[in-house]
Amino acid sequence: MTFDDNAIDWLASLLAEAADIEIMPRFRRLGDGDIRQKTSAADLVTEADVNAERLITARLRSHYPSAMVVGEEACSDNPALLDGLGEADLAFVIDPVDGTFNFASGVPLFGVMLGVVVKGETVAGIIHDPVGKDWLIGARGSGSHIRHAHGALEKVRVAAPAAPISQMTGAVSWQYMAEPERTRLACNQTKTLSQFNYRCAAHEYRLLASGHGHFVVYNKLMPWDHLAGVLIHAEAGGHAARFDGSAYLPAHVGGGLLVAPDKESWQELRRELWAE
């Protein structure tokens, strides 16, 4: 079975099903044995992550038996599962609970993310908010919109360009950067109008795609964190590129990512945030 835009409704329903069955019943009900550290105290996995990913993966493999399915938690156990993502005829990339630290802390800022990749290009992205029970959806060439819980569709658009940097609001995720870049960006962020940090890419991409923030800087590039969001943001009129200006592709796991309203804003941010 091949992928087409008609499948987006089914995929959106699948993410909501996983949230209803495996995620929300565990929210603010996790026991001590339901939360584990992966790489650090800030990098967690819960039973909700694991079970939601299993449900989504099983449904996808049943519906698309020849597709590649890449889940964050499965890749945590076996990183080789990422091999071939850039060449697959059809691949689905899953973040079952983006914002796990928030989820485990009882903070209602988390989401379920899914990116669709066809022959090395992201063609669709869905971000489901299990708390608000709505979806942010983008499809290549078709724009991006929010599908509200009451059924209405709202087209989204990135913020208008706001140069200079002193008029921009954004987030710099410097925690995965090495020195001296880490300190340089952390200090230069004070040039901006204000900052946000949700500890959740799903909601940060939502903020940008719907025009309520200007930029984000990410250094760690795992596909489940960014493929859906970058596609949605691009279809909402935005511009994203790696730190060297090259295009961000599904196969990339390094090189950083700067997301902005347009190319000119991107260039302004790249110059000012990295200034010595």
Side-chain angles (χ1 to χ4, degrees):
M1 182 179 291
T2 58
F3 178 82
D4 60 53
D5 288 353
N6 294 327
I8 290 179
D9 289 343
W10 181 82
L11 292 171
S13 296
L14 172 59
L15 301 190
E17 179 187 5
D20 289 344
I21 294 174
E22 300 292 357
I23 298 173
M24 292 309 295
R26 293 181 167 91
F27 183 48
R28 294 177 175 166
R29 296 181 178 88
L30 294 169
D32 291 340
D34 296 330
I35 307 171
R36 302 182 300 280
Q37 287 189 21
K38 291 198 284 189
T39 61
S40 72
D43 184 16
L44 306 177
V45 61
T46 73
E47 288 301 298
D49 298 75
V50 172
N51 286 286
E53 182 173 303
R54 285 175 180 163
L55 187 156
I56 296 168
T57 298
R59 297 281 200 278
L60 287 171
R61 286 182 172 155
S62 176
H63 207 70
Y64 296 95
S66 61
M68 180 178 184
V69 180
V70 177
E72 177 181 6
E73 306 314 329
C75 286
S76 179
D77 295 333
N78 180 11
L81 294 175
L82 270 173
D83 295 346
L85 177 59
E87 296 80 39
D89 288 338
L90 175 62
F92 298 95
V93 181
I94 311 160
D95 191 339
V97 182
D98 183 72
T100 298
F101 185 90
N102 293 343
F103 179 81
S105 304
V107 176
L109 280 174
F110 50 89
V112 189
M113 303 175 74
L114 184 141
V116 184
V117 178
V118 174
K119 298 184 185 302
E121 291 191 11
T122 311
V123 299
I126 304 172
I127 299 175
H128 176 55
D129 178 1
V131 177
K133 295 187 179 298
D134 60 12
W135 300 260
L136 181 60
I137 299 172
R140 184 170 296 281
S142 300
S144 294
H145 61 271
I146 294 174
R147 181 184 298 170
H148 292 283
H150 49 70
L153 293 179
E154 176 189 353
K155 189 173 178 62
V156 294
R157 183 77 185 173
V158 299
I165 192 174
S166 61
Q167 300 304 307
M168 299 188 201
T169 297
V172 177
S173 182
W174 44 256
Q175 60 264 41
Y176 294 109
M177 294 180 175
E179 295 291 3
E181 189 176 38
R182 175 189 177 107
T183 295
R184 183 182 306 140
L185 267 76
C187 291
N188 284 336
Q189 187 179 9
T190 61
K191 298 177 182 179
T192 65
L193 179 65
S194 63
Q195 64 174 330
F196 56 82
N197 184 348
Y198 290 168
R199 301 191 69 144
C200 176
H203 280 278
E204 290 171 356
Y205 278 117
R206 178 176 177 138
L207 197 72
L208 265 61
S210 56
H212 300 296
H214 294 97
F215 73 92
V216 288
V217 177
Y218 296 113
N219 192 55
K220 186 179 180 182
L221 296 191
M222 302 313 295
W224 42 81
D225 289 325
H226 302 292
L227 292 184
V230 168
L231 184 281
I232 290 168
H233 182 262
E235 288 297 320
H239 178 77
R242 294 198 294 171
F243 294 163
D244 64 2
S246 62
Y248 168 60
L249 299 174
H252 292 153
V253 293
L257 185 63
L258 172 57
V259 183
D262 64 356
K263 189 172 183 179
E264 289 72 23
S265 300
W266 189 98
Q267 292 169 337
E268 165 88 359
L269 288 159
R270 182 65 177 85
R271 180 172 59 254
E272 294 293 336
L273 288 174
W274 276 263
E276 297 188 20

